[in-house]
Amino acid sequence: MKTTLPPKGMRDFLPREKEIREYVMNEIRGVYRSSGFEEIETSYIENVENLTGGDGGENTKLIFKILKRGEKLNWSDAKEEDDLTDLGLRFDLTLPLVRFYSNNKNELPTIFKAIQMGPVFRAERPGKGRFRAFTQCDIDIIGDESNLAEVEIILTIARALKQLDINHFKIKINDRRVLKALVTGAGFTEAEFPDIAITLDKLDKIGKEGIVKELEGKSYDKTRIEALMTASDALKEKGLASIESMCLDGYENLKEIIEVVEALKETYDIVFDHTLVRGMGYYTSTIFEIEHSDLGYSIAGGGRYDKMIGKMIGSEVPAVGFSIGFERIVDLLMAENKLKHKQTKIALIYKDGNALTSVMKMSADLREAYSAVSVYKAKKKLGKQIEQLKKYGYDGVAVMDGELEVNLFDQTV
Amino acid sequence: MKTTLPPKGMRDFLPREKEIREYVMNEIRGVYRSSGFEEIETSYIENVENLTGGDGGENTKLIFKILKRGEKLNWSDAKEEDDLTDLGLRFDLTLPLVRFYSNNKNELPTIFKAIQMGPVFRAERPGKGRFRAFTQCDIDIIGDESNLAEVEIILTIARALKQLDINHFKIKINDRRVLKALVTGAGFTEAEFPDIAITLDKLDKIGKEGIVKELEGKSYDKTRIEALMTASDALKEKGLASIESMCLDGYENLKEIIEVVEALKETYDIVFDHTLVRGMGYYTSTIFEIEHSDLGYSIAGGGRYDKMIGKMIGSEVPAVGFSIGFERIVDLLMAENKLKHKQTKIALIYKDGNALTSVMKMSADLREAYSAVSVYKAKKKLGKQIEQLKKYGYDGVAVMDGELEVNLFDQTV
């Protein structure tokens, strides 16, 4: 017999879970829209060379590739994997956005504020809480090189979280240029920076000693590693002010962004964190991440990527993006069971003697008063049937038996 | 340079089109829910043997198959295409629903009323108005063998269309058993029925003469073909009543369903059409289709498939489904430009002298009064900038310049 499970790492969603997912999507979408962002949709499937040729970093190793079809598929002559495939599933929403913007820029406003909400696919090794298809909820501002873009995008994401009753979180912010000044200041070359950044990104997981060990393992000069760690410790102690002389542009941007968010924020914090790296290679300056205060893990992340569109269209267009980790938010709300049930669902139960026409007319009438009405034929054990309807989320029943009366279940149960 | 277009047959959606798509989705979803249907989501990706092994008919030739990954992929030893692939993209929502129900039936009510709205993928030859990824909006009732299921599903779909201001349409209804009685009554065998049904399905396209020609081309007996056409003509003239003696079950079901819908319907019609075939092999009795009265093409279709779940779980469970052709509805509404703009979008324009903090505070204040507020820095040519904002859908501007005043554009434009 064929399996009835979805493929490994993929999921189906039962009604209760789907309702929460739709609720979360709509609340986020509402906040995004209220800040003037406009929703677009990009193709789930991309030409495979668009996916593999960009700045996708590790994600390009995780592409679900689609087999060529018909006579285009000729595997006996294939020399490499790419001869077998022409399309692939998108692994994030940024790369499709860049392609979309490049293709449609003449129809879009000079400063384009985009919403994208949809699934992305990564052939990761499946594991607990790690899925091969998951939803992202992104906003991006394209065409604005000023700090306004960062500020709008940070405040909008914060409002979206508050809208979902997530009030206590910490926005960590850094600038890739600060990070680079720190690394080159310790004597490393600019060319070595990306590789060192990959190691520094692991600070949370492997700690300071782990970082030193890994850099030594990569055969970097011990004096430089020591200088880097000393500078990093000093920076941690002295905070934002200490980077003023080190990286002027980075300092001034961070200072203004933090000041404005500080003045507008309510229940959350924004902090400069010079250890924040963010994996993607395409970030050029500001990077940020939101950490849930109680759970301690990241629920949103993003940054500025001023070079990515230029690589596609030949002229530079600045861009900033921020993405909410939708699945983690849903898990949070599922666990807290906070969702208010907004519908009043009524089951209309009819008996053998009732003509279907009058049953359907009655259900249409009931629908005027109740938000959802569903018709069922009475079973022999009516009491048991009603108990089951209650269990499956109905708020009341109306049995067609003489005078019709709607019996709402006890609201307190 | 890499292409900026989406792959052949795939689409991106600009804000205006995405807004209409979301609007249509939500209106349909609302009506479905109000009839007691509950939304689920199934995986976009299925194990490839689940896709190829079922009743998918022609669609199984159009599957986008996903290349195996890592050491599982060994194309030099591959004997057939299926050795290269383990997963595929779903081509409809019915097959995943059957798998979903089989997997979760213990957690679902005895009669399960499902909503599924999402993309499906078919590697069709791309052409005008024919896409390789498109959205379907399905409802299905699983577990009810009575006519109530057909009636609820037909009336719900009709209400969804009316909700979208589509009022004039014709519901065509038939029963596969009537069709079979017609074919076997003309002397063909039961085994020949599916093949003959494939030809009959083309009546709209190739006409009566085309049917005769195609059946003759398939070497069927001329006398039988003639008998079939004569019986078909007679049936057309006499209508529903003439099938009473020919196919009792089919007749009684059709009679009750049509009677009930007739009694409840408003601006649309329901008609028995014995030439309706519907392509999918899995339909067992009632089949239906909705034709737009002015445009003359089908905008929804479905039927009863009582055997499909049984093939997966071993015990028979009745089921009926109906699917709205979402893309056609969207095209219709785009062409009619009927969508009411519900948001009031305001652009807040600031100047060099304004501190970003006070700008952002002002935008938060404005958001209390207007549904969407977006911040822009003033350009040198302010008048031109405002004209552009108007063009891109803003309803008014507020320029930060002394006393703040919101200027709404002329509502009549």
Side-chain angles (χ1 to χ4, degrees):
Chain A
M1 201 175 95
K2 286 174 288 186
T3 176
T4 62
L5 291 170
K8 210 166 53 166
M10 309 289 172
R11 289 171 295 171
D12 299 322
F13 299 104
L14 285 157
R16 171 81 187 141
E17 200 169 350
K18 179 66 179 169
E19 194 179 348
I20 291 181
R21 292 176 76 83
E22 280 301 312
Y23 167 80
V24 173
M25 286 275 244
N26 279 326
E27 296 296 304
I28 293 176
R29 176 178 282 132
V31 172
Y32 285 177
R33 281 191 182 278
S34 74
S35 297
F37 290 84
E38 297 181 290
E39 193 164 1
I40 60 160
E41 186 179 317
T42 54
S43 172
Y44 298 174
I45 299 176
E46 291 282 341
N47 288 310
V48 76
E49 65 265 31
N50 270 8
L51 295 174
T52 52
D55 287 316
E58 288 295 300
N59 289 332
T60 58
K61 295 178 189 156
L62 305 174
I63 301 169
F64 282 111
K65 295 177 180 173
I66 293 173
L67 206 61
K68 285 183 179 175
R69 294 149 307 283
E71 52 197 30
K72 282 187 192 159
L73 177 64
N74 182 355
W75 70 84
S76 49
D77 289 348
K79 293 201 176 52
E80 48 183 10
E81 190 178 301
D82 285 354
D83 293 333
L84 302 171
T85 173
D86 55 351
L87 302 169
L89 298 178
R90 64 183 184 191
F91 54 77
D92 75 359
L93 300 178
T94 307
L95 201 137
L97 174 67
V98 167
R99 183 189 55 67
F100 171 92
Y101 179 83
S102 304
N103 192 36
N104 296 292
K105 60 181 184 304
N106 295 333
E107 293 180 58
L108 299 172
T110 326
I111 295 178
F112 178 51
K113 299 169 73 176
I115 303 170
Q116 269 195 103
M117 306 179 78
V120 300
F121 306 88
R122 294 181 194 169
E124 306 233 33
R125 194 172 291 276
K128 194 177 174 306
R130 208 192 299 129
F131 303 107
R132 297 180 134 192
F134 54 94
T135 295
Q136 291 192 328
C137 301
D138 287 16
I139 39 175
D140 292 82
I141 298 180
I142 297 178
D144 188 352
E145 85 265 339
S146 81
N147 288 336
L148 170 63
E150 273 92 342
V151 166
E152 273 220 277
I153 233 165
I154 290 171
L155 290 175
T156 303
I157 293 279
R159 284 203 303 121
L161 294 176
K162 284 181 64 69
Q163 178 69 23
L164 293 165
D165 229 0
I166 299 172
N167 294 299
H168 300 292
F169 50 87
K170 189 164 76 179
I171 302 168
K172 299 193 283 187
I173 185 166
N174 194 10
D175 191 303
R176 280 235 157 194
R177 293 169 299 182
V178 172
L179 211 57
K180 193 187 265 186
L182 189 73
V183 170
T184 53
F188 295 100
T189 65
E190 280 218 16
E192 287 167 340
F193 168 64
D195 184 47
I196 288 170
I198 289 170
T199 300
L200 288 179
D201 198 16
K202 299 178 188 166
L203 187 65
D204 276 358
K205 285 183 201 150
I206 62 177
K208 230 175 90 176
E209 280 169 36
I211 299 289
V212 171
K213 210 172 151 189
E214 185 167 313
L215 289 177
E216 284 178 358
K218 286 177 172 178
S219 305
Y220 286 112
D221 181 84
K222 281 195 187 184
T223 328
R224 286 177 187 166
I225 298 173
E226 206 178 302
L228 178 62
M229 302 322 281
T230 309
S232 171
D233 284 349
L235 214 162
K236 190 176 178 183
E237 207 177 303
K238 293 182 200 152
L240 188 62
S242 70
I243 66 166
E244 186 172 359
S245 60
M246 199 174 92
C247 172
L248 208 63
D249 287 346
Y251 169 72
E252 286 186 348
N253 284 331
L254 286 173
K255 188 165 169 279
E256 185 176 42
I257 295 165
I258 293 173
E259 262 175 24
V260 179
V261 176
E262 277 286 349
L264 275 289
K265 80 186 175 69
E266 291 165 54
T267 54
Y268 54 90
D269 290 312
I270 178 162
V271 294
F272 167 58
D273 181 347
H274 79 282
T275 66
L276 182 67
V277 178
R278 302 283 309 153
M280 307 302 271
Y282 51 66
Y283 291 126
T284 49
S285 54
T286 331
I287 43 180
F288 24 74
E289 199 168 281
I290 295 183
E291 193 180 277
H292 190 281
S293 301
D294 302 333
L295 304 169
Y297 57 58
S298 160
I299 51 176
R304 184 174 274 281
Y305 52 100
D306 283 348
K307 307 282 180 189
M308 209 170 158
I309 296 169
K311 282 184 189 164
M312 195 135 211
I313 62 170
S315 61
E316 270 185 29
V317 179
V320 193
F322 212 151
S323 178
I324 289 186
F326 176 77
E327 310 296 339
R328 290 195 165 167
I329 305 286
V330 169
D331 286 351
L332 214 69
L333 295 181
M334 292 277 285
E336 292 181 356
N337 208 7
K338 264 187 189 167
L339 184 65
K340 305 121 207 151
H341 202 54
K342 285 177 223 146
Q343 281 193 318
T344 307
K345 281 180 75 174
I346 300 293
L348 174 65
I349 299 178
Y350 73 102
K351 297 188 166 178
D352 256 341
N354 301 118
L356 204 44
T357 299
S358 53
V359 174
M360 295 315 291
K361 279 188 176 153
M362 183 59 75
S363 85
D365 288 348
L366 280 175
R367 207 170 285 124
E368 303 284 316
Y370 299 98
S371 54
V373 178
S374 198
V375 180
Y376 294 98
K377 190 167 184 182
K379 290 187 180 170
K380 274 180 198 151
K381 292 179 177 170
L382 186 61
K384 198 181 156 198
Q385 184 180 14
I386 292 172
E387 274 310 304
Q388 277 191 333
L389 288 166
K390 195 172 163 181
K391 179 184 149 201
Y392 286 118
Y394 280 87
D395 301 296
V397 292
V399 182
M400 282 187 82
D401 200 7
E403 195 82 359
L404 191 88
E405 203 182 307
V406 176
N407 291 300
L408 292 173
F409 302 135
D410 190 339
Q411 301 289 339
T412 61
V413 174
Chain B
M1 202 176 94
K2 289 173 284 183
T3 176
T4 62
L5 292 168
K8 212 165 50 166
M10 309 288 172
R11 289 172 294 170
D12 298 323
F13 299 105
L14 285 158
R16 171 81 187 143
E17 200 168 352
K18 180 65 179 170
E19 193 178 350
I20 290 181
R21 293 176 74 84
E22 280 301 311
Y23 167 80
V24 173
M25 286 275 243
N26 280 326
E27 296 298 304
I28 294 176
R29 176 178 283 132
V31 172
Y32 285 177
R33 282 192 181 276
S34 74
S35 296
F37 290 84
E38 296 181 290
E39 193 164 1
I40 61 159
E41 185 178 318
T42 55
S43 172
Y44 299 174
I45 298 176
E46 291 281 341
N47 288 308
V48 76
E49 64 265 31
N50 271 8
L51 294 174
T52 51
D55 288 315
E58 289 294 301
N59 289 333
T60 58
K61 295 178 190 157
L62 305 174
I63 300 168
F64 282 110
K65 294 177 180 174
I66 293 172
L67 205 61
K68 286 183 180 174
R69 294 150 307 283
E71 53 198 26
K72 283 186 190 160
L73 177 65
N74 182 354
W75 71 84
S76 50
D77 289 348
K79 295 204 173 50
E80 48 183 11
E81 189 176 302
D82 284 354
D83 293 333
L84 302 171
T85 174
D86 54 351
L87 303 168
L89 297 179
R90 64 185 184 189
F91 55 76
D92 75 359
L93 300 177
T94 307
L95 201 138
L97 174 67
V98 166
R99 183 190 53 69
F100 171 92
Y101 179 83
S102 305
N103 193 35
N104 295 293
K105 60 183 185 303
N106 295 331
E107 293 180 57
L108 298 171
T110 327
I111 295 179
F112 178 52
K113 299 170 72 174
I115 302 170
Q116 269 195 104
M117 307 178 78
V120 301
F121 306 87
R122 294 181 194 169
E124 307 234 32
R125 194 172 291 274
K128 196 178 172 308
R130 207 190 302 126
F131 301 106
R132 298 181 131 191
F134 53 95
T135 295
Q136 292 192 329
C137 301
D138 288 16
I139 39 176
D140 292 82
I141 299 180
I142 298 178
D144 187 352
E145 84 265 339
S146 82
N147 289 337
L148 171 62
E150 272 93 342
V151 166
E152 273 220 278
I153 230 163
I154 290 172
L155 290 174
T156 303
I157 292 279
R159 283 203 304 121
L161 293 176
K162 283 179 64 68
Q163 177 71 23
L164 293 165
D165 228 2
I166 298 172
N167 294 299
H168 301 290
F169 50 87
K170 189 164 77 177
I171 302 167
K172 299 193 283 187
I173 185 166
N174 193 12
D175 192 304
R176 280 233 155 197
R177 293 168 301 182
V178 171
L179 210 58
K180 193 187 262 184
L182 190 73
V183 170
T184 53
F188 296 100
T189 65
E190 280 217 19
E192 288 166 340
F193 169 64
D195 184 45
I196 288 170
I198 289 171
T199 299
L200 289 178
D201 198 15
K202 299 178 188 164
L203 187 64
D204 277 357
K205 284 185 204 152
I206 62 177
K208 232 174 88 176
E209 282 170 32
I211 299 289
V212 171
K213 209 173 154 190
E214 183 167 315
L215 288 178
E216 284 178 358
K218 285 178 171 177
S219 306
Y220 285 112
D221 181 85
K222 281 196 187 185
T223 329
R224 285 176 188 166
I225 297 172
E226 206 178 301
L228 177 63
M229 301 323 281
T230 309
S232 172
D233 284 347
L235 215 162
K236 192 177 177 182
E237 207 178 304
K238 293 181 202 152
L240 188 63
S242 71
I243 66 168
E244 185 172 1
S245 59
M246 199 174 92
C247 172
L248 209 61
D249 285 346
Y251 170 71
E252 285 186 349
N253 283 331
L254 285 173
K255 187 164 170 280
E256 184 175 44
I257 295 165
I258 293 172
E259 262 175 24
V260 178
V261 176
E262 277 286 350
L264 274 287
K265 80 185 174 67
E266 290 164 56
T267 55
Y268 53 90
D269 289 312
I270 179 164
V271 295
F272 167 58
D273 180 348
H274 78 281
T275 66
L276 182 69
V277 179
R278 303 281 310 151
M280 306 302 272
Y282 51 65
Y283 290 127
T284 49
S285 53
T286 331
I287 43 181
F288 23 75
E289 200 168 279
I290 295 184
E291 194 180 276
H292 190 281
S293 301
D294 302 331
L295 303 170
Y297 57 57
S298 160
I299 51 175
R304 184 174 274 282
Y305 51 100
D306 283 347
K307 307 281 180 191
M308 207 170 160
I309 296 169
K311 281 184 190 164
M312 193 132 213
I313 62 170
S315 61
E316 270 185 28
V317 179
V320 193
F322 211 151
S323 177
I324 287 186
F326 177 76
E327 309 296 339
R328 289 194 166 170
I329 304 286
V330 170
D331 286 350
L332 215 68
L333 295 181
M334 291 278 285
E336 293 181 357
N337 209 6
K338 265 187 190 167
L339 183 66
K340 305 121 206 151
H341 201 55
K342 283 178 221 144
Q343 280 194 321
T344 306
K345 280 179 76 174
I346 301 293
L348 175 65
I349 299 179
Y350 74 102
K351 298 189 166 178
D352 254 341
N354 302 118
L356 205 45
T357 299
S358 53
V359 174
M360 295 315 292
K361 279 188 175 153
M362 183 59 74
S363 84
D365 288 349
L366 281 175
R367 207 169 285 124
E368 302 285 317
Y370 299 97
S371 53
V373 178
S374 197
V375 179
Y376 294 97
K377 190 167 183 183
K379 291 188 182 171
K380 275 179 198 152
K381 293 180 178 171
L382 186 61
K384 198 182 157 200
Q385 184 180 14
I386 291 173
E387 272 312 302
Q388 277 192 333
L389 288 166
K390 194 172 164 183
K391 179 185 149 201
Y392 287 119
Y394 279 87
D395 302 296
V397 290
V399 182
M400 281 186 82
D401 200 9
E403 194 84 358
L404 192 88
E405 202 183 310
V406 177
N407 291 299
L408 292 174
F409 302 135
D410 190 341
Q411 301 289 338
T412 61
V413 174

